[in-house]
Coordinates of all heavy atoms in Angstrom, one line a residue:
D282 N 95.5 150.6 189.5 CA 95.7 149.8 190.7 C 94.6 148.7 190.8 O 95.0 147.6 191.1 CB 95.5 150.7 192.0 CG 96.7 151.7 192.1 OD1 97.8 151.4 191.5 OD2 96.5 152.8 192.7
N283 N 93.4 149.0 190.4 CA 92.3 148.0 190.5 C 91.5 148.1 189.2 O 90.4 148.7 189.1 CB 91.4 148.3 191.7 CG 92.1 148.1 193.0 OD1 92.7 147.1 193.2 ND2 92.1 149.1 193.8
P284 N 92.1 147.5 188.1 CA 91.4 147.5 186.8 C 90.1 146.8 186.9 O 90.1 145.6 187.4 CB 92.3 146.9 185.8 CG 93.2 146.1 186.7 CD 93.3 146.8 188.0
P285 N 89.0 147.3 186.4 CA 87.7 146.6 186.5 C 87.7 145.3 185.7 O 88.1 145.3 184.5 CB 86.7 147.6 185.8 CG 87.4 148.9 185.9 CD 88.8 148.6 185.8
P286 N 87.4 144.2 186.3 CA 87.5 142.9 185.6 C 86.6 142.8 184.4 O 86.9 142.2 183.4 CB 87.0 141.9 186.7 CG 87.3 142.6 188.0 CD 87.0 144.0 187.7
D287 N 85.4 143.5 184.5 CA 84.5 143.5 183.3 C 85.1 144.2 182.1 O 84.9 143.7 181.0 CB 83.2 144.1 183.7 CG 83.3 145.5 184.1 OD1 84.4 145.9 184.7 OD2 82.3 146.3 184.0
K288 N 85.9 145.2 182.3 CA 86.5 145.9 181.2 C 87.7 145.0 180.6 O 87.8 145.0 179.4 CB 87.1 147.3 181.7 CG 86.1 148.4 181.9 CD 85.5 148.7 180.5 CE 84.4 149.8 180.7 NZ 83.8 150.1 179.4
Q289 N 88.4 144.4 181.5 CA 89.5 143.5 181.0 C 88.8 142.4 180.1 O 89.3 142.1 179.0 CB 90.2 142.8 182.2 CG 91.0 143.8 183.0 CD 91.8 143.1 184.1 OE1 92.5 142.2 183.8 NE2 91.6 143.6 185.3
A290 N 87.7 141.8 180.6 CA 87.1 140.8 179.8 C 86.5 141.3 178.5 O 86.6 140.6 177.5 CB 85.9 140.2 180.7
E291 N 86.0 142.5 178.5 CA 85.5 143.1 177.3 C 86.6 143.3 176.3 O 86.4 143.0 175.1 CB 84.8 144.5 177.6 CG 84.3 145.2 176.4 CD 83.8 146.6 176.7 OE1 83.6 146.9 177.9 OE2 83.5 147.4 175.8
F292 N 87.7 143.9 176.7 CA 88.8 144.1 175.8 C 89.4 142.8 175.2 O 89.6 142.7 174.0 CB 89.9 144.9 176.5 CG 89.5 146.3 176.9 CD1 90.2 146.9 178.0 CD2 88.5 147.0 176.3 CE1 89.8 148.2 178.4 CE2 88.1 148.3 176.7 CZ 88.8 148.8 177.8
L293 N 89.5 141.8 176.1 CA 90.0 140.5 175.6 C 89.1 139.9 174.6 O 89.5 139.3 173.6 CB 90.3 139.6 176.8 CG 91.5 139.9 177.6 CD1 91.6 139.0 178.9 CD2 92.8 139.7 176.8
S294 N 87.8 140.0 174.9 CA 86.8 139.5 174.0 C 86.8 140.1 172.7 O 86.7 139.4 171.6 CB 85.4 139.6 174.6 OG 84.4 139.2 173.8
N295 N 86.9 141.4 172.6 CA 87.0 142.2 171.3 C 88.3 141.8 170.6 O 88.2 141.7 169.3 CB 87.0 143.7 171.6 CG 85.6 144.2 172.0 OD1 84.6 143.6 171.6 ND2 85.6 145.2 172.8
I296 N 89.4 141.6 171.3 CA 90.6 141.2 170.6 C 90.4 139.8 170.0 O 90.8 139.5 168.9 CB 91.8 141.2 171.6 CG1 92.1 142.6 171.9 CG2 93.0 140.5 171.0 CD1 93.2 142.8 173.0
K297 N 89.8 138.8 170.7 CA 89.6 137.5 170.2 C 88.7 137.5 169.0 O 88.9 136.7 168.1 CB 89.0 136.6 171.4 CG 90.0 136.3 172.5 CD 89.3 135.5 173.6 CE 88.9 134.1 173.1 NZ 88.3 133.3 174.2
I298 N 87.6 138.4 169.1 CA 86.7 138.5 167.9 C 87.5 138.9 166.7 O 87.3 138.4 165.6 CB 85.6 139.4 168.2 CG1 84.6 138.8 169.3 CG2 84.8 139.8 167.0 CD1 83.6 139.7 169.8
G299 N 88.4 140.0 166.9 CA 89.2 140.5 165.8 C 90.1 139.4 165.2 O 90.2 139.3 164.0
L300 N 90.7 138.6 166.1 CA 91.6 137.6 165.6 C 90.8 136.5 164.9 O 91.3 136.0 163.8 CB 92.4 136.9 166.8 CG 93.5 137.8 167.5 CD1 93.9 137.2 168.8 CD2 94.6 138.0 166.5
T301 N 89.7 136.2 165.4 CA 88.8 135.2 164.7 C 88.4 135.6 163.3 O 88.5 134.8 162.3 CB 87.6 134.9 165.5 OG1 87.9 134.4 166.8 CG2 86.7 133.8 164.8
R302 N 88.1 136.9 163.2 CA 87.7 137.4 161.9 C 88.9 137.4 160.9 O 88.7 137.1 159.7 CB 87.1 138.8 162.0 CG 85.8 138.9 162.8 CD 85.3 140.3 162.9 NE 84.8 140.8 161.6 CZ 84.6 142.0 161.3 NH1 84.8 143.0 162.2 NH2 84.2 142.4 160.1
M303 N 90.1 137.8 161.4 CA 91.2 137.8 160.6 C 91.6 136.4 160.1 O 92.0 136.2 159.0 CB 92.4 138.4 161.3 CG 92.4 139.9 161.4 SD 93.9 140.6 162.1 CE 95.1 140.1 160.9
E304 N 91.5 135.4 161.0 CA 91.8 134.0 160.7 C 90.8 133.6 159.6 O 91.2 132.9 158.6 CB 91.6 133.1 161.9 CG 91.9 131.7 161.6 CD 91.7 130.8 162.8 OE1 90.9 131.1 163.7 OE2 92.3 129.7 162.8
W305 N 89.5 133.9 159.7 CA 88.5 133.5 158.7 C 88.8 134.1 157.4 O 88.8 133.5 156.3 CB 87.1 133.9 159.2 CG 86.1 133.5 158.2 CD1 85.4 132.3 158.1 CD2 85.6 134.2 157.0 NE1 84.6 132.2 157.0 CE2 84.6 133.4 156.4 CE3 85.9 135.5 156.6 CZ2 84.0 133.8 155.2 CZ3 85.2 135.9 155.4 CH2 84.3 135.1 154.8
L306 N 89.2 135.4 157.4 CA 89.4 136.1 156.1 C 90.7 135.5 155.4 O 90.6 135.3 154.2 CB 89.7 137.6 156.4 CG 90.1 138.5 155.2 CD1 89.0 138.5 154.2 CD2 90.3 139.9 155.7
A307 N 91.7 135.3 156.2 CA 92.9 134.7 155.6 C 92.7 133.4 155.0 O 93.1 133.0 153.9 CB 94.1 134.7 156.6
T308 N 91.9 132.5 155.7 CA 91.6 131.2 155.2 C 90.7 131.3 153.9 O 90.9 130.6 153.0 CB 90.8 130.4 156.3 OG1 91.6 130.3 157.5 CG2 90.5 129.0 155.8
A309 N 89.7 132.2 154.0 CA 88.8 132.3 152.8 C 89.6 132.8 151.6 O 89.4 132.3 150.5 CB 87.7 133.3 153.1
L310 N 90.5 133.8 151.8 CA 91.3 134.3 150.7 C 92.2 133.2 150.1 O 92.4 133.1 148.9 CB 92.1 135.5 151.1 CG 91.3 136.8 151.4 CD1 92.2 137.8 152.1 CD2 90.7 137.3 150.1
L311 N 92.8 132.4 150.9 CA 93.6 131.3 150.5 C 92.8 130.3 149.6 O 93.3 129.9 148.6 CB 94.3 130.6 151.7 CG 95.2 129.4 151.3 CD1 96.4 129.9 150.4 CD2 95.8 128.8 152.6
K312 N 91.6 130.0 150.1 CA 90.8 129.1 149.3 C 90.4 129.7 148.0 O 90.4 129.0 147.0 CB 89.5 128.7 150.2 CG 89.8 127.9 151.4 CD 88.6 127.7 152.2 CE 88.9 126.8 153.5 NZ 87.8 126.7 154.4
M313 N 90.1 131.0 148.0 CA 89.7 131.6 146.8 C 90.9 131.6 145.8 O 90.7 131.4 144.6 CB 89.2 133.1 147.0 CG 88.8 133.8 145.8 SD 87.2 133.2 145.1 CE 86.0 133.9 146.3
A314 N 92.1 131.9 146.3 CA 93.3 131.9 145.4 C 93.5 130.5 144.8 O 93.8 130.4 143.6 CB 94.5 132.3 146.2
K315 N 93.2 129.4 145.6 CA 93.4 128.1 145.0 C 92.4 127.8 143.9 O 92.7 127.2 142.9 CB 93.2 127.0 146.1 CG 94.4 127.0 147.1 CD 94.2 125.9 148.2 CE 95.3 125.8 149.1 NZ 95.1 124.8 150.2
L316 N 91.1 128.3 144.1 CA 90.1 128.1 143.1 C 90.4 128.9 141.9 O 90.3 128.4 140.7 CB 88.7 128.6 143.7 CG 88.1 127.6 144.7 CD1 87.0 128.3 145.4 CD2 87.6 126.3 144.1
D317 N 90.9 130.2 142.0 CA 91.3 131.0 140.9 C 92.4 130.4 140.1 O 92.5 130.5 138.9 CB 91.7 132.4 141.4 CG 90.5 133.2 141.8 OD1 89.4 132.8 141.5 OD2 90.7 134.2 142.5
A318 N 93.3 129.7 140.8 CA 94.5 129.1 140.1 C 94.2 127.8 139.5 O 95.0 127.3 138.7 CB 95.6 128.9 141.1
G319 N 93.0 127.3 139.7 CA 92.6 126.0 139.1 C 93.3 124.8 139.6 O 93.4 123.8 138.9
V320 N 93.8 124.9 140.9 CA 94.6 123.8 141.4 C 93.7 122.8 142.3 O 94.2 121.8 142.8 CB 95.7 124.3 142.3 CG1 96.7 125.1 141.5 CG2 95.2 125.1 143.5
I321 N 92.4 123.2 142.4 CA 91.5 122.3 143.2 C 90.9 121.3 142.3 O 90.3 121.6 141.2 CB 90.4 123.2 143.8 CG1 91.0 124.2 144.8 CG2 89.4 122.3 144.6 CD1 91.8 123.6 145.9
E322 N 91.0 120.0 142.6 CA 90.3 118.9 141.9 C 89.2 118.5 142.8 O 89.4 117.9 143.8 CB 91.3 117.8 141.6 CG 92.4 118.2 140.7 CD 93.3 117.0 140.3 OE1 92.9 115.9 140.7 OE2 94.3 117.2 139.6
F323 N 88.0 118.7 142.3 CA 86.8 118.4 143.1 C 86.5 116.9 143.0 O 86.5 116.3 141.9 CB 85.5 119.1 142.6 CG 85.6 120.6 142.9 CD1 85.9 121.5 141.9 CD2 85.4 121.1 144.2 CE1 86.0 122.9 142.2 CE2 85.4 122.4 144.5 CZ 85.7 123.3 143.5
S324 N 86.4 116.2 144.1 CA 86.0 114.8 144.1 C 84.5 114.7 144.0 O 83.8 115.6 144.2 CB 86.5 114.1 145.3 OG 85.9 114.6 146.5

């Protein structure tokens, strides 16, 4: 009936942290795959 606002904020914050970490991991893996494949031309 009356969910504590601080708990809602805590759960949402943890979810955002998890999404941020997943986004970073996916981006890092994609960059690593490009380097492994030798398709990066360094300027």
Side-chain angles (χ1 to χ4, degrees):
D282 292 336
N283 296 305
D287 58 333
K288 283 295 181 184
Q289 294 184 52
E291 178 187 346
F292 296 153
L293 285 173
S294 176
N295 287 332
I296 290 173
K297 288 177 67 176
I298 291 172
L300 287 171
T301 301
R302 294 181 69 195
M303 284 187 63
E304 180 185 25
W305 181 89
L306 176 61
T308 302
L310 289 170
L311 180 59
K312 291 173 181 176
M313 183 68 80
K315 289 181 178 179
L316 289 167
D317 287 345
V320 298
I321 301 299
E322 292 186 6
F323 293 103
S324 62

